């Protein structure tokens, strides 16, 4: 369902089937809708068989990096000599993205079930779900659902009488985008500042509390029960583009669009269908100018690039950007691109944890140079300055927040250079007081 | 009794800190200990409990948390200041967070922020209204970009806010 709008015939509703249906929130309501079949089935399988099934489905991480989920699980040690942990990343803070929120608000048991299956598959008895502090409503819904799952015996000492212990603990964040980065999240869970860690060691070797850990996104885990119930072949078959991108994907569409919301599509669906048919196209009398397809951390696409792209991991790369978190930010011809790129740079400057010089200095200086341009004091040399800064910020830091700031800046200069020049030459009035 | 010297050596503490972690709150915190392999992992939850009870996290509260979890006050302070949702100063009775990040920004979020500042009497972002009723702060993406502009009033998430709706929303909070 194109929540909060009615479902569109071109959507493939799997995860979003019960968005907006309050009856699906309770344990009994979920069971009536076929819920917990996946967990029951999983508990009768071996750990290895579950990992193989998920590998065969082609499921890739929905948190941003698109790493194959089954493969990630297979990195966890086979023998459980010390505690293993599953961490569910519900920190959803990437500008443009609001899909995990709807999964938790409407189908909390889908997530709990996915967490329980994944925990069992990686040899873990405990899953922490790290929910961003601002998500007050999802927190309430999830808390109630976890309580019900324990009461019904789906969680606890012996999940569904299997003799296997599975605990789910909700953990509340407190406002920090960087805690969405998996190693920052692990530090935060340990009661520390959320600074990302240098890798290696990778989480599967030494993660939260120094133990083998797997971190997965909410949407990734919510897809797992469906794969177990309906089979890897079915999931793999949900594919219109190329076989490397399978299944359905929730796309959060926002910005200058008639019907903002979450749309669930089969991988490989043309972006044009999403923008014009499902989400209703531009506002009356307007045309699209730019689309940021994967949350704010990916390169900006022009309207033409977006309209030609297929929505899957490779399809978006082929048109110069990345699928990221699938938060699609749509900007029409009224948008001041320089101002919005500045606003994004300011976001990254605010959220940098400041461990790495390139990121701390780079995000701050990028913001300042953009402010100079917006105040009408920019010079031609500022293009090179911004590009040099971006170069220094890419591929050189502990995590990719720094690279994420560079992405909109570099693509913005490449694709919307004349808008920067208009500020420099004075043909556009300053939109900010001189700094 | 010699008054205990306060933090950083400025002045003395005349009003003793009433502990947060007693009775039911203490029991709630101790109930969390079994869910994590370390005490330190209970730091964020403990700080939330302080803020829920007192509205903000004071220096004496930081010392108390440190004592309860076997950490040092300086360490706890370092963690408190990393996270934007913990208040290190008292705030208004109702705390309003408004998103102005790009997706909301292009849909008019700055106008919503201005309306909030004006209608609450806060005069500027980050400030508290003279009657102590509201504090308004600008925040980054609230994870609800399809419902521009979302605001968070205390624990109430309000979607689709436009400047003309601000006055009616504020009326609900006295
Ligand atoms: C700065 C930064 C912020 C991130 N924020 C999130 C987030 O909010 N939610 C999320 O699931 N992944 C986020 N990620 C990606 C995680 O590090 C990690 O790759 C992901 O949670 C793994 O889960 P998956 O394999 O299921 O996608 C972020 C990464 C970076 C570098
Ligand atoms: S790149 Fe930035 S956010 Fe990431 S660890 Fe370095 S300073 Fe922190
Ligand atoms: S940008 Fe405002 S909620 Fe995401």
């Amino acid at each position: 369902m194109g929540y909060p709008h009615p479902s569109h015939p071109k959507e493939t509703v799997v995860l979003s089937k019960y968005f907006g249906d309050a009856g699906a929130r309770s344990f009994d309501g979920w069971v009536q809708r076929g819920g917990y079949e996946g967990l029951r089935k999983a508990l009768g399988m071996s750990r290895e068989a579950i990992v193989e099934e998920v590998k065969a489905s082609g499921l890739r991480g929905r948190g941003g990096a698109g790493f194959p989920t089954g493969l990630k699980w297979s990195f966890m040690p086979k023998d459980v000599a010390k505690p293993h942990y599953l961490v569910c990343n519900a920190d959803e803070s990437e500008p443009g993205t609001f899909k995990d929120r709807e999964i938790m608000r409407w189908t909390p048991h889908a997530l709990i079930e996915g967490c329980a299956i994944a925990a069992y598959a990686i040899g873990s008895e405990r899953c922490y779900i790290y929910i961003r502090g601002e998500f007050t409503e999802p927190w309430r819904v999830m808390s109630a659902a976890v309580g019900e799952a324990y009461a019904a015996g789906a969680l606890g000492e012996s999940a569904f009488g299997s003799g296997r212990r599975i605990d789910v603990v909700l953990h509340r964040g407190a406002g920090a985008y960087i805690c969405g980065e998996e190693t920052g999240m692990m530090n935060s869970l340990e009661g520390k500042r959320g600074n990302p860690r240098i890798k290696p060691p990778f989480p599967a070797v030494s993660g939260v509390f120094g133990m083998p850990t797997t971190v997965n996104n909410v949407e990734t885990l919510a897809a797992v029960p469906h794969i177990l119930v309906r089979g890897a072949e079915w999931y793999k078959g949900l594919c219109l583009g190329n076989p490397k991108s399978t299944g359905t994907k929730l796309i959060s569409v926002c910005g200058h669009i008639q019907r903002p919301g979450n749309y669930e599509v089969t991988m490989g669906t043309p972006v044009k269908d999403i923008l014009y048919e499902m989400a209703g196209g531009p506002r009356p009398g307007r045309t699209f100018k730019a689309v940021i397809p994967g949350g704010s951390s990916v390169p900006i696409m022009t309207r033409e690039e977006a309209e030609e792209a297929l929505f899957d991991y490779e399809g978006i790369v082929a048109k110069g950007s990345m699928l990221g978190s699938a938060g699609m930010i749509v900007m029409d011809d009224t948008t001041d691109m320089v101002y919005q790129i500045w606003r994004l740079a300011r976001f990254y400057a605010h959220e940098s944890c400041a461990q790495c010089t390139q990121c701390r200095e780079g995000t701050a200086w990028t913001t300042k140079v953009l402010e100079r341009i917006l105040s009408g004091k920019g010079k031609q040399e500022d293009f090179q300055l911004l590009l040099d800064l971006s170069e220094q910020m890419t591929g050189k830091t502990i995590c990719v927040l720094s690279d994420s700031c560079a992405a909109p800046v570099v693509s913005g200069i490449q694709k919307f250079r004349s808008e920067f020049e208009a500020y420099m030459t004075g043909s556009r009035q300053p939109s900010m007081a001189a700094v | 009794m010699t008054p205990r010297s306060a933090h950083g050596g400025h002045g003395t503490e005349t009003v003793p800190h009433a502990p947060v972690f007693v009775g039911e709150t203490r029991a709630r915190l101790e109930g969390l200990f079994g869910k994590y392999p370390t005490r330190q992992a209970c730091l964020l939850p403990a700080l939330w409990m302080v803020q829920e009870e007192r509205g903000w996290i004071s220096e004496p509260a930081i010392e108390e948390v440190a004592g309860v979890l076997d950490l040092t006050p300086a360490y706890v302070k370092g963690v408190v200041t990393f996270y934007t949702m913990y208040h290190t100063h008292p705030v208004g009775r109702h705390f309003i967070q408004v998103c102005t990040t790009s997706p909301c920004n292009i849909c008019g979020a700055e106008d919503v922020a201005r309306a909030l500042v004006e209608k609450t009497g806060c005069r500027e972002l980050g400030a508290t209204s003279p009657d102590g009723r509201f504090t308004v702060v600008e925040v980054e993406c609230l994870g609800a970009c399809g419902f521009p502009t979302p605001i968070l009033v205390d624990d109430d998430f309000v979607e689709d806010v436009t400047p003309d709706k601000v006055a009616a929303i504020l009326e609900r909070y006295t």
Side-chain angles (χ1 to χ4, degrees):
Chain A
M1 112 113 68
Y3 188 78
H5 308 285
S7 189
H8 188 275
K10 288 200 175 172
E11 283 187 73
T12 307
V13 287
V14 177
L15 303 174
S16 60
K17 190 166 172 191
Y18 300 110
F19 284 6
D21 170 2
R25 278 183 180 158
S26 69
F27 184 87
D28 292 341
W30 191 241
V31 169
Q32 278 157 21
R33 288 163 182 78
Y36 285 104
E37 282 305 308
L39 176 58
R40 286 179 192 279
K41 187 168 175 191
L43 290 167
M45 294 164 69
S46 70
R47 279 177 56 191
E48 294 73 22
I50 299 172
V51 174
E52 284 312 313
E53 189 75 12
V54 172
K55 259 191 198 168
S57 75
L59 175 64
R60 291 167 67 176
R62 305 305 195 212
F67 193 84
T69 306
L71 186 61
K72 186 187 269 191
W73 293 1
S74 73
F75 296 154
M76 291 292 277
K78 297 286 166 293
D79 62 322
V80 188
K82 45 188 178 180
H84 290 186
Y85 292 110
L86 174 69
V87 177
C88 170
N89 190 337
D91 196 51
E92 189 165 63
S93 316
E94 173 80 5
T97 319
F98 48 99
K99 61 190 179 64
D100 299 341
R101 173 179 188 251
E102 302 310 328
I103 292 175
M104 291 189 281
R105 281 172 89 191
W106 297 110
T107 59
H109 288 284
L111 178 59
I112 294 169
E113 189 180 356
C115 288
I117 297 170
Y120 168 49
I122 62 163
S124 163
E125 293 188 342
R126 192 176 293 163
C127 167
Y128 292 105
I129 305 182
Y130 187 106
I131 302 179
R132 67 176 295 187
E134 294 87 345
F135 275 178
T136 48
E137 193 199 346
W139 174 273
R140 285 192 284 265
V141 177
M142 287 299 299
S143 300
V146 168
E148 278 187 305
Y150 271 102
L155 297 176
E157 222 171 323
S158 173
F160 284 138
S162 62
R164 297 180 201 289
R165 174 166 210 115
I166 303 176
D167 284 315
V168 170
V169 178
L170 303 183
H171 192 90
R172 187 177 180 195
Y177 168 69
I178 196 57
C179 292
E181 196 280 338
E182 59 185 10
T183 58
M185 177 165 288
M186 296 187 308
N187 275 338
S188 182
L189 254 174
E190 292 180 9
K192 300 175 179 162
R193 293 165 71 92
N195 293 330
R197 301 176 183 172
I198 293 171
K199 294 192 251 188
F202 289 96
V205 175
S206 176
V208 73
F209 305 114
M211 299 297 164
T213 302
T214 295
V215 182
N216 275 131
N217 168 261
V218 168
E219 186 187 353
T220 312
L221 292 169
V224 169
H226 295 282
I227 292 169
L228 284 199
V229 172
R230 292 154 99 169
E233 281 305 311
W234 160 78
Y235 197 80
K236 221 167 75 178
L238 295 170
C239 170
L240 299 170
N242 73 83
K244 284 188 193 151
S245 292
T246 63
T248 62
K249 182 78 196 79
L250 280 168
I251 303 173
S252 306
V253 187
C254 64
H256 294 142
I257 190 95
Q258 297 258 20
R259 287 195 296 271
N262 280 295
Y263 297 90
E264 187 172 6
V265 301
T266 301
M267 283 288 194
T269 296
V271 171
K272 213 172 173 168
D273 291 2
I274 299 164
L275 290 176
Y276 290 92
E277 297 186 37
M278 301 179 204
R283 301 180 292 178
R286 296 289 162 210
T287 50
F288 294 141
K289 184 196 274 187
V291 174
I292 313 183
S296 63
S297 301
V298 305
I300 305 171
M301 296 171 107
T302 60
R303 174 173 65 115
E304 293 75 17
E305 288 168 329
E307 287 178 0
E308 289 164 7
L310 294 182
F311 203 91
D312 64 24
Y313 294 100
E314 292 70 26
I316 300 288
V317 169
K319 293 292 165 191
S321 189
M322 287 183 289
L323 185 134
S325 62
M328 199 181 268
I329 308 166
V330 186
M331 296 172 169
D332 72 16
D333 53 345
T334 63
T335 311
D336 179 342
M337 294 306 291
V338 186
Y339 191 84
Q340 292 310 325
I341 291 166
W342 162 74
R343 190 61 191 77
L344 289 176
R346 203 185 94 177
F347 167 81
Y348 291 104
H350 182 260
E351 302 299 335
S352 167
C353 83
Q355 284 188 105
C356 317
T357 311
Q358 294 92 332
C359 177
R360 181 183 63 240
E361 301 297 320
T363 54
W365 281 106
T366 299
T367 309
K368 283 184 191 153
V369 174
L370 289 166
E371 281 169 9
R372 175 160 77 194
I373 296 172
L374 287 167
S375 71
K377 300 257 188 292
K379 308 182 202 73
Q380 277 292 325
E381 300 93 271
D382 287 342
F383 283 122
Q384 200 50 47
L385 182 56
L386 285 170
L387 294 173
D388 287 347
L389 276 168
S390 293
E391 159 98 38
Q392 285 303 317
M393 289 162 69
T394 304
K396 298 183 174 66
T397 48
I398 295 175
C399 86
V400 295
L401 181 141
S402 182
D403 310 53
S404 301
C405 180
V409 174
V410 173
S411 56
I413 292 176
Q414 273 166 3
K415 296 169 190 178
F416 302 96
R417 192 180 176 99
S418 63
E419 293 198 30
F420 290 78
E421 282 170 339
Y423 274 110
M424 293 172 180
T425 58
S427 66
R428 177 159 204 156
Q429 285 303 308
S431 56
M432 199 175 270
V435 274
Chain B
M1 192 181 108
T2 332
R4 190 159 61 98
S5 103
H7 342 284
H10 315 282
T12 50
E13 198 175 58
T14 48
V15 183
H17 167 68
V20 175
F21 294 100
V22 288
E24 204 189 305
T25 311
R26 179 81 186 199
R28 259 177 71 210
L29 180 66
E30 285 177 359
L32 293 180
F33 289 165
K35 298 186 176 200
Y36 301 88
T38 66
R39 284 266 166 113
Q40 186 178 350
C42 297
L43 180 51
L44 266 63
L47 292 170
W48 275 120
M49 289 181 195
V50 171
Q51 188 154 305
E52 276 160 26
E53 290 214 0
R54 299 291 154 87
W56 67 294
I57 299 171
S58 66
E59 295 267 354
I62 285 176
E63 287 181 18
E64 188 194 349
V65 169
V68 172
L69 297 178
D70 289 330
L71 302 165
T72 66
Y75 178 82
V76 174
K77 195 167 186 180
V79 173
V80 170
T81 53
F82 186 84
Y83 298 92
T84 56
M85 291 183 81
Y86 294 133
H87 309 317
T88 50
H89 300 280
V91 296
R93 277 200 303 290
H94 301 291
F95 188 76
I96 305 180
Q97 308 180 50
V98 51
C99 168
T100 60
T101 310
S102 280
C104 289
N105 198 290
I106 60 174
C107 297
E110 291 187 16
D111 295 334
V112 175
R114 268 191 288 273
L116 282 165
V117 166
E118 192 187 307
K119 295 270 181 330
T120 55
C122 284
R123 289 191 287 239
E124 59 178 327
L125 286 167
T128 299
S129 59
D131 59 2
R133 190 167 152 211
F134 293 110
T135 301
V136 179
V137 299
E138 185 183 26
V139 295
E140 298 293 352
C141 182
L142 284 169
C145 332
F147 307 87
T149 293
I151 68 171
L152 196 52
V153 189
D154 305 328
D155 278 349
D156 302 339
F157 210 97
V158 191
E159 298 172 347
D160 301 315
V161 180
T162 46
D164 55 306
K165 293 185 190 166
V166 165
I169 293 169
L170 296 179
E171 269 173 34
R172 290 186 237 150
Y173 300 90
T174 51

